[in-house]
Amino acid sequence: MRGVHRVRPFSRCFCKRPKLIFNSLFLGPGPEMPVVRRAVVKMETSDWYRIDAAIVLQQLGSNASRGLSEVDAVQRLAEHGANELRAPYHISPWAIFRAQFKNVLIVILLLATALSVFLGHGIEAITIAIIVLFSALLGFVQEYRAERAIEALRQMAAPTATVLRGGEEAVVSAASLVPGDIIFLRAGDKVAADTRLIEALNLQIEEAALTGESVPVEKQTAVLLDGELALGDRKNMAYAGTIVTYGRGRAVVVATGMKTEFGKIAEMLETVETGRTPLQENLDKVGHALARAALVVVGVIVALGLFRGQPFMEMLIFGIALAVAVVPEALPAVVTISLALGVQRMVKRNALVRRLPTVETLGSISVICSDKTGTLTQDEMTARKLFAGGLMFEVSGSGYDPHGVFIQDGSPIEPPEPLIALLRASVLASDAQLVQRDGRWEIRGDPTEGALVVAAAKAGLSKADLEARFPRVHEVPFTSEAKRMTTLHASSSGMIACAKGAPEIILDSCTHQLTVSREVELDRGSKETILTAARQMAGEALRVLAVATKSDATVENAESGMTFLGLVAMMDPPRPEARAAIRKCEQASIKPVMITGDHPLTARAVARELGLLKTGRVVTGSELDGMDEMELQREVENVAVYARVSPAHKLRVVSVLQRKGHVVAMTGDGVNDAPALKKADIGIAMGITGTDVTKEAAAMTLTDDNFASIVAAVEEGRGIFNNIKKYLMYLLSANIGEIGLMAGAVLVGLPLPLTAVQILYVNLATDGLPALALAVDPPDPDLMRRPPRNPRTGIFTRPLLALMAAGGCWSAVVNLSLFAWLLRSGRSLGEAMAMIFVALVLIEFFKAYNFRSEHYSLLKRPFSNKWLNMAVLWELAVLLALIYVPFLQVLFGTYSLSATDWGVIVAAAFTISPVLELVKWLRSRGWFSEPELRAESCHEG
């Protein structure tokens, strides 16, 4: 490029003259450096749009025609720092890994591992150590990846910028930009810093990543004096990270690095604390409770044994075995496997989870805060209504798919000639191209023009065919001042002109209009009818363009004496599947909320189509600023749509909802969503349209950008948590039964009914395959018709505690009674212990089937879990081997049972089923119901 040269990075310049820079900054100017008389005025970035461009230049000490000198730029770089996002403080990978071992259960398991090694139980020690290491590595990987969002944000910065330095145009590193620099903006450029525009020629900038608004914004240089404006309304500003889509301009840099709007988002993202999931909190509570129970119960039993004269070493080994039985060492593994299998199922349903514990959080979600553009809508401008020949038409279909029909008065029709003429002229006056790539239709060019091309394609009009028949020979490009675009085309009958633009502008250039039958003169009444139709469509949040044509046109007279063809009204339409997903959310008692940076009229129209306004009203960002915390807490549950909001607003809404006790999911695709995604209980990013920043900040990514996939993920989350509850209920009931049996025998003066090896095997049999099979149990049929689970209730609800206690206590009573009866009936202690060992294992298998649901009877779908069926069959085969294989009999203290022995054992074990069925029946009659919880926050801070 002529007149453009590259300069070396300022960091290198700075390093070559350290003494010069030091002296000038701290000792005053010396002979080597001129005095810089103009100082940079420090102002908030948000103030600049209210100030005239000339005054901005003066306050920043810059010059529109020469820019800054290199010396001045070096000084300012030293003062303000590089134009890049600050790298946050990072915890070392080793520290993250060490933190994984602060979990209470992990600590207990490590102690059990050490004791097992000391006492020679090598297999148990290796098994527990593998489980601990696996859980720690998984947690390390999750946390290490979770903090990469800032780095992704840093990489989105523009690598270079075209700047005016000393009167010459130069390409420099974007990191070297400083306040006061004059930069050039051209189509395709990524804006490198926050800037105040001083020149804008047809300039349009796409700000979707920052504001969420899907349509490029037309920029200007005039002062805006309308009070505090949202980012999307500051039309004389260009912000870092946004993209120039059309035209060109010049701007003066007003903020760099962490002081840009991008930087503010990075700072929020850096300071947002990610809350712990309900599952993590509940498992910590379980760990503490089990640790206390293990110490107390085992201590009492060992002390009583020693008091009765049992050998110390024998009681120590027995106590360790009992402690290992009390602590569910497989809990981390079962939870991990349950979550991992759930993640695999969710991938098949287009939801990708990055952090496993957040899968469970989905089941507790009570509010989904969703961005509009690209999430609830398709982010593809679509023609919805057309006004031609004095008649109104609707167009079916959405997005860029060129399939749809034209509708008049509710009935599909073939497009009449006035409608064909309207669509033909609109395509000829457009530059956008409709292309198909990898089976997906896309638009190359302006999305508004894309909507016109797609609408024409639905009528069978191909842009390529039209351009071949009517080649373009001249054009008058669109400008923000003219608000129109006119093209001239060669045809067999002479030159024709086609124009599109703002309705009032196009109408002013028309003298005739095309009706259903013929071309007639355009009088004042007709103009008013057309403008009324345009206002009506604009009131529905549709973007309206007018189209006109002229025969025998020349370049000089193309924009006068035209014939009006009609109006095209378009919008970014809601996703069809989003409506059904919102209805499912309502059935599951989940409140959907739209949070968008788009205009309130647009947001209201989309919300109305989706049915969101049934649950609340629309609030704008400025109204949100006017609310104090108390008022917002009162109103937040009555709001369905937040429009024209900033990233800080989104973060505030999420925080207030959490303080009200809600479990909040936040969906989004733009950079502006990242802080709220990280703050939410679960952040959900869009996989196709989402930025790397949102994907890194989010806990889950939708691979199809489909709002409906969230509902599927919620169902998986609910099912996973229910299965974890089943596992805990089953396992802890088994532990209660074991401890109750041992403690009861000691208290009533009976011998210990199990050996240490038998206790460890019962623990292995119950903690093993049956527990894993419960982790993949099919969900209850009414799972998505229940309200969200309140995380404050914890895992152990009253119904669950009732079932768990009934199962454990009855197991202890039955086995203790059987043990006493066997001893009184003349059986040897070894035979009695062997029968109790078998009875305890069998009773756990019966409980596994009963605990498949805390709501429904065992008789409803009793064998629908094939994995549980196979697990029980396998464990039965192993148990038979322990009973009948001679060398195993010696190891496990068993003997070959007779048919009578089996009859007694099976009868005793089966009694657990009617007891648990009775508890479920009582629950269905209102027993064990939960107390009403106050609507307090379950979040800290």
Side-chain angles (χ1 to χ4, degrees), residues 211-226:
T211 66
E213 188 158 359
S214 55
V215 179
V217 179
E218 293 182 15
K219 293 296 183 177
Q220 63 182 51
T221 60
V223 177
L224 301 173
L225 299 174
D226 299 330

Side-chain angles (χ1 to χ4, degrees), residues 331-407:
L331 176 59
V334 171
V335 170
T336 298
I337 290 169
S338 179
L339 294 174
L341 291 174
V343 166
Q344 291 177 11
R345 292 193 298 270
M346 290 170 68
V347 167
K348 295 177 182 177
R349 302 175 80 170
N350 302 306
L352 179 64
V353 173
R354 291 179 58 244
R355 293 188 281 274
L356 291 183
T358 56
V359 175
E360 173 271 334
T361 311
L362 284 163
S364 302
I365 285 173
S366 56
V367 178
I368 298 176
C369 296
S370 174
D371 189 40
K372 177 185 72 68
T373 304
T375 309
L376 291 169
T377 67
Q378 296 198 350
D379 198 16
E380 297 177 350
M381 290 295 287
T382 306
R384 303 294 294 271
K385 291 186 176 182
L386 300 104
F387 180 81
L391 301 173
M392 188 71 75
F393 304 90
E394 295 180 4
V395 193
S396 69
S398 61
Y400 296 147
D401 186 348
H403 297 95
V405 297
F406 295 87
I407 301 167

Side-chain angles (χ1 to χ4, degrees), residues 584-627:
K584 286 185 180 179
C585 285
E586 292 169 352
Q587 290 173 1
S589 301
I590 299 169
K591 179 181 175 65
V593 177
M594 180 195 296
I595 306 185
T596 177
D598 221 334
H599 195 279
L601 276 178
T602 307
R604 187 187 300 273
V606 172
R608 188 182 297 112
E609 284 200 39
L610 291 171
L612 278 175
L613 294 181
K614 294 184 294 184
T615 60
R617 62 191 182 92
V618 179
V619 168
T620 64
S622 57
E623 291 172 333
L624 203 57
D625 286 331
M627 295 183 184

Side-chain angles (χ1 to χ4, degrees), residues 760-776:
L760 288 172
Y761 179 79
V762 171
N763 192 46
L764 178 65
T766 55
D767 279 13
L769 296 179
L772 291 175
L774 285 176
V776 293

Side-chain angles (χ1 to χ4, degrees), residues 18 21 39 46 134 286 292 306 336 369 390 551 654 670 697 816 824 836 877 917 926:
I21 301 298
S46 56
F134 179 73
V286 171
R292 288 192 292 268
L306 293 173
T336 298
C369 296
S551 302
V654 170
L816 188 60
R824 284 199 303 269
I836 293 302
E917 288 296 296

Side-chain angles (χ1 to χ4, degrees), residues 334-576:
V334 171
V335 170
T336 298
I337 290 169
S338 179
L339 294 174
L341 291 174
V343 166
Q344 291 177 11
R345 292 193 298 270
M346 290 170 68
V347 167
K348 295 177 182 177
R349 302 175 80 170
N350 302 306
L352 179 64
V353 173
R354 291 179 58 244
R355 293 188 281 274
L356 291 183
T358 56
V359 175
E360 173 271 334
T361 311
L362 284 163
S364 302
I365 285 173
S366 56
V367 178
I368 298 176
C369 296
S370 174
D371 189 40
K372 177 185 72 68
T373 304
T375 309
L376 291 169
T377 67
Q378 296 198 350
D379 198 16
E380 297 177 350
M381 290 295 287
T382 306
R384 303 294 294 271
K385 291 186 176 182
L386 300 104
F387 180 81
L391 301 173
M392 188 71 75
F393 304 90
E394 295 180 4
V395 193
S396 69
S398 61
Y400 296 147
D401 186 348
H403 297 95
V405 297
F406 295 87
I407 301 167
Q408 184 182 11
D409 298 329
S411 301
I413 61 162
E414 284 296 319
E417 179 54 35
L419 192 55
I420 294 291
L422 166 65
L423 294 171
R424 181 168 53 234
S426 66
V427 170
L428 289 174
S430 298
D431 294 320
Q433 300 283 339
L434 176 65
V435 296
Q436 190 174 24
R437 188 170 60 184
D438 298 329
R440 179 183 171 89
W441 290 98
E442 297 179 353
I443 286 293
R444 291 178 182 168
D446 183 77
T448 300
E449 292 187 342
L452 301 175
V453 173
V454 172
K458 292 175 181 177
L461 298 175
S462 164
K463 180 173 175 60
D465 292 344
L466 289 175
E467 289 178 337
R469 288 175 54 199
F470 306 100
R472 185 183 298 185
V473 295
H474 192 76
E475 70 175 73
V476 181
F478 175 88
T479 66
S480 55
E481 291 79 16
K483 296 184 179 180
R484 65 182 295 160
M485 175 180 180
T486 305
T487 58
L488 284 88
H489 304 263
S491 72
S492 57
S493 58
M495 192 82 71
I496 60 171
C498 299
K500 69 177 192 305
E504 62 277 8
I505 300 296
I506 296 296
L507 278 173
D508 284 346
S509 65
C510 293
T511 56
H512 293 76
Q513 66 170 328
L514 184 65
T515 65
V516 176
S517 57
R518 58 194 175 88
E519 186 176 310
V520 299
E521 188 175 340
L522 182 66
D523 55 27
R524 181 175 295 179
S526 299
K527 279 189 177 183
E528 189 56 39
T529 300
I530 293 167
L531 289 174
T532 300
R535 285 192 290 267
Q536 178 185 342
M537 290 187 285
E540 298 173 17
L542 298 172
R543 187 176 189 186
V544 184
L545 289 180
V547 181
T549 187
K550 180 176 183 176
S551 302
D552 299 323
T554 64
V555 175
E556 291 76 19
N557 68 8
E559 295 185 337
S560 62
M562 303 190 80
T563 299
F564 178 79
L565 298 178
L567 304 171
V568 183
M570 61 200 75
M571 71 178 298
D572 179 14
R575 292 178 175 271

